[in-house]
Amino acid sequence: MPHSISPLPSSPPLDDSILPDAPAVPLDADSESSSESQDVDVDVTPKAIHAQAALPSSTRLEDMFEDDDDDEFSSSAAPTRADSSQEAIQPPARQPSTKPTDPETMKAFYQRLFPFRPLFQWLNHSPTPGADFAQREFAFTLQNDAYLRYQSFATADLLRKQCVALVPARFEIGPVYSANPRDRKTLRKASAFRPLAKELVFDIDMTDYDDIRTCCAGASICARCWTFITMAIKVVDVALREDFGFAHVLWVYSGRRGAHAWVCDRRAREMDDQKRRAVAGYLELLKGGDKGGKKVNVKRPLHPHLDRSLQILRTHFAPDILAGQDPWSTPARAAHLLSLLPPDASLLSALRKKWDSAPTRSSTSRWADIDALASTGVADAKDIGRQLLEAKQDIVLEYSYPRLDAEVSKKLNHLLKAPFCVHPGTGRVCVPIDVSKVEEFDPEEVPTVGRLLGEIDSWDAAHADVQGGEDRGEAGGARKVPDVEKTSLKPYVEFFKAFVAGLLREEKGGKREREAGGTAEGMEF
């Protein structure tokens, strides 16, 4: 099990009843491709989907993630024909491809590994199919880069069938609407189709750190610069939980150079745009463009959120910024550091003279020089100690505080890439991040889709003597082994299931309170 993920503690069984998924029906042909806010009708109807048999309605909540009969984690055992011969049909052998997300690979991924059922439970907030899922917008990016918006599905099975049929390179999740997104053009009034709810989301991308990271640039990342994402997750996560009282915050690796946060509490989902802007503004600190100028100017005394953030970031500043990035190692970068200090002519002149005599001086040494020279009395200002303290606090924040793409968080109708999608450039799966072990998360260790399919093949080869991909326990009973259990994706899926189970427990309790006439506490700004 990868060290960055640990399943959440097990919880006592619950007695929720699960109703069966609605029978599958053919997907309609009114699918749209969105480009620059224009909708174009595109026929994406796959072959007719046959109705499926109803499942028992007496299933308990603790059984809703059972893998023994979970179609989305189907065994790699060869399927059998529905005739009297029962002859096994072997899946076609995968051919090597230079593209990490070629259609054949992605189809196998959607058929055998993608956790459609937990994703459904997460977005539906209930085991029983309802409007939270059925009226949720999905958007597909196809292999030819066509972008299909306003897709919707009544059940997890219908979403799975569409993914297998269209083989999207990825898909995004949007809000729950007041009507089915597929029916929006049939409504008499445009105002009848409006977004009602969606998770509060945050996007942290490494490219926003390009002006201060020195190890990589653009799409490239390494262990040293990934620390910026680690620091951002720690600061934002504690603010969301302690300052806003949110309990269900899911962090997901973006697949290449960033991370996304999904705040799933009901209070967060029901926020309007004004409240979302307020939360984003609360967390936003850096101002200004990509180059030049001081980006942090905060009032004193520091807000408790900033004071707490400094306590978190100080533990990273010396090893990860000063030593790891060495941000002022060149004369040009050292000049920028001088521009961030108090405008004391004597002190700046002394620092400039010292650094000009040693142009390759490390950032750690330059940082120490500031206080060392100030303590000699070279500065003109009498309160230089206080000024330097505040300036250094601002510098720590500028070089380590989270750089959020705030626009992603401000709009209810913004779409964001779904967890467990595959990044088309890297082939890596967008896996959840265990925030309790965030410092151990290594993006370069996240499995690629090709590696996962190879792990299935290796497992099958090693267990070729086991008939039909079955495993026999201590009692000797045969159990079909789901494909996901044969791969390194298993701990990430288990973590996601545990997160979803916790969310459903709270949703169940909140529903009972609402039915009893209780009122949920609102959030004031």
Side-chain angles (χ1 to χ4, degrees):
M1 176 180 292
H3 55 269
S4 61
I5 290 290
S6 60
L8 297 180
S10 59
S11 56
L14 300 176
D15 58 357
D16 287 20
S17 295
I18 302 179
L19 297 181
D21 283 353
V25 295
L27 297 173
D28 63 59
D30 183 27
S31 301
E32 291 75 28
S33 172
S34 174
S35 176
E36 297 182 359
S37 301
Q38 294 181 353
D39 297 330
V40 180
D41 289 338
V42 179
D43 185 2
V44 295
T45 306
K47 294 181 180 180
I49 301 171
H50 299 292
Q52 60 183 358
L55 299 176
S57 60
S58 58
T59 311
R60 297 176 301 165
L61 181 58
E62 66 267 27
D63 298 326
M64 67 187 175
F65 292 134
E66 287 296 334
D67 289 323
D68 292 359
D69 59 352
D70 197 341
D71 290 337
E72 81 251 18
F73 297 138
S74 56
S75 170
S76 60
T80 57
R81 297 184 186 274
D83 57 26
S84 57
S85 66
Q86 294 296 308
E87 180 184 355
I89 304 174
Q90 297 296 333
R94 288 187 298 276
Q95 300 299 322
S97 172
T98 57
K99 185 179 179 181
T101 58
D102 64 90
E104 186 178 354
T105 298
M106 291 304 300
K107 186 170 185 177
F109 176 71
Y110 288 128
Q111 286 178 321
R112 308 175 74 176
L113 290 171
F114 193 94
F116 285 103
R117 184 174 296 176
L119 186 83
F120 165 80
Q121 303 279 4
W122 172 51
L123 296 176
N124 191 59
H125 314 114
S126 169
T128 306
D132 279 6
F133 190 81
Q135 294 179 194
R136 171 86 68 159
E137 178 189 359
F138 292 85
F140 292 153
T141 300
L142 303 186
Q143 297 289 336
N144 62 357
D145 292 330
Y147 191 56
L148 309 180
R149 285 200 60 184
Y150 301 110
Q151 306 299 297
S152 60
F153 308 92
T155 66
D157 186 60
L158 291 177
L159 173 61
R160 179 182 184 275
K161 284 179 169 64
Q162 186 77 311
C163 287
V164 172
L166 298 182
V167 197
R170 72 178 198 182
F171 63 88
E172 297 173 339
I173 298 172
V176 179
Y177 280 93
S178 55
N180 191 312
R182 290 179 180 268
D183 299 335
R184 73 192 189 286
K185 291 184 177 180
T186 65
L187 302 175
R188 287 189 173 185
K189 296 182 179 180
S191 59
F193 183 71
R194 63 187 187 281
L196 299 179
K198 195 201 68 175
E199 293 75 12
L200 176 63
V201 296
F202 297 91
D203 181 14
I204 306 170
D205 194 289
M206 189 70 76
T207 54
D208 292 324
Y209 294 83
D210 279 351
D211 64 318
I212 57 174
R213 64 171 175 156
T214 60
C215 53
C216 304
S220 301
I221 63 168
C222 68
R224 283 194 294 161
C225 60
W226 182 257
T227 309
F228 286 114
I229 306 298
T230 300
M231 290 187 286
I233 290 175
K234 292 170 72 173
V235 169
V236 173
D237 189 78
V238 71
L240 292 173
R241 296 178 189 276
E242 295 187 7
D243 298 348
F244 293 96
F246 296 130
H248 302 282
V249 183
L250 178 68
W251 287 94
V252 180
Y253 173 48
S254 70
R256 173 175 276 174
R257 57 176 181 261
H260 301 152
W262 298 75
V263 186
C264 306
D265 301 62
R266 176 178 288 272
R267 286 188 302 121
R269 302 198 308 266
E270 295 179 348
M271 283 183 177
D272 57 21
D273 286 352
Q274 182 179 2
K275 291 182 178 179
R276 291 169 191 263
R277 285 194 299 269
V279 176
Y282 179 88
L283 295 171
E284 195 175 16
L285 177 65
L286 276 67
K287 306 292 183 182
D290 294 336
K291 297 181 180 179
K294 188 175 181 180
K295 294 183 173 64
V296 174
N297 290 281
V298 295
K299 298 179 180 179
R300 266 63 183 191
L302 290 175
H303 186 281
H305 162 63
L306 292 180
D307 187 57
R308 181 188 57 222
S309 298
L310 273 174
Q311 299 303 317
I312 295 172
L313 298 173
R314 279 197 185 102
T315 62
H316 290 275
F317 189 73
D320 299 323
I321 304 298
L322 295 181
Q325 293 297 322
D326 199 8
W328 308 304
S329 58
T330 66
R333 288 179 174 267
H336 178 66
L337 173 60
L338 289 176
S339 71
L340 302 178
L341 297 177
D344 188 292
S346 297
L347 176 60
L348 296 181
S349 176
L351 287 170
R352 191 176 293 108
K353 181 178 180 181
K354 185 177 183 66
W355 294 348
D356 287 346
S357 65
T360 60
R361 195 166 178 79
S362 71
S363 297
T364 301
S365 298
R366 294 181 196 268
W367 186 251
D369 291 340
I370 298 172
D371 289 331
L373 283 176
S375 65
T376 64
V378 69
D380 297 326
K382 295 182 179 179
D383 63 342
I384 191 63
R386 178 190 60 79
Q387 292 185 38
L388 282 178
L389 173 63
E390 294 179 357
K392 280 196 162 188
Q393 289 177 339
D394 290 350
I395 293 170
V396 170
L397 292 171
E398 179 168 331
Y399 279 80
S400 56
Y401 188 84
R403 300 187 173 198
L404 302 173
D405 184 352
E407 295 306 313
V408 171
S409 309
K410 294 178 180 179
K411 291 290 186 179
L412 177 61
N413 61 356
H414 188 92
L415 293 95
L416 192 63
K417 181 168 54 181
F420 292 100
C421 279
V422 177
H423 191 286
T426 65
R428 298 193 187 280
V429 181
C430 300
V431 296
I433 299 173
D434 183 351
V435 73
S436 68
K437 297 184 178 181
V438 64
E439 294 191 33
E440 300 175 22
F441 182 83
D442 183 356
E444 297 182 347
E445 292 299 318
V446 172
T448 63
V449 62
R451 168 182 153 188
L452 293 172
L453 296 177
E455 289 172 352
I456 295 176
D457 292 340
S458 297
W459 191 98
D460 288 345
H463 298 78
D465 57 328
V466 180
Q467 181 66 28
E470 295 179 343
D471 185 24
R472 294 188 177 275
E474 296 179 359
R479 182 183 74 92
K480 186 183 295 183
V481 180
D483 281 337
V484 73
E485 293 189 11
K486 306 171 185 177
T487 71
S488 53
L489 190 64
K490 176 184 177 181
Y492 299 104
V493 173
E494 289 180 342
F495 179 86
F496 183 57
K497 287 181 177 181
F499 176 86
V500 174
L503 178 62
L504 293 188
R505 283 193 298 272
E506 180 170 296
E507 289 289 329
K508 178 184 177 182
K511 182 179 180 181
R512 287 176 176 172
E513 180 181 343
R514 290 189 297 273
E515 290 176 349
T519 57
E521 181 181 353
M523 179 173 293
E524 299 296 335
F525 289 91

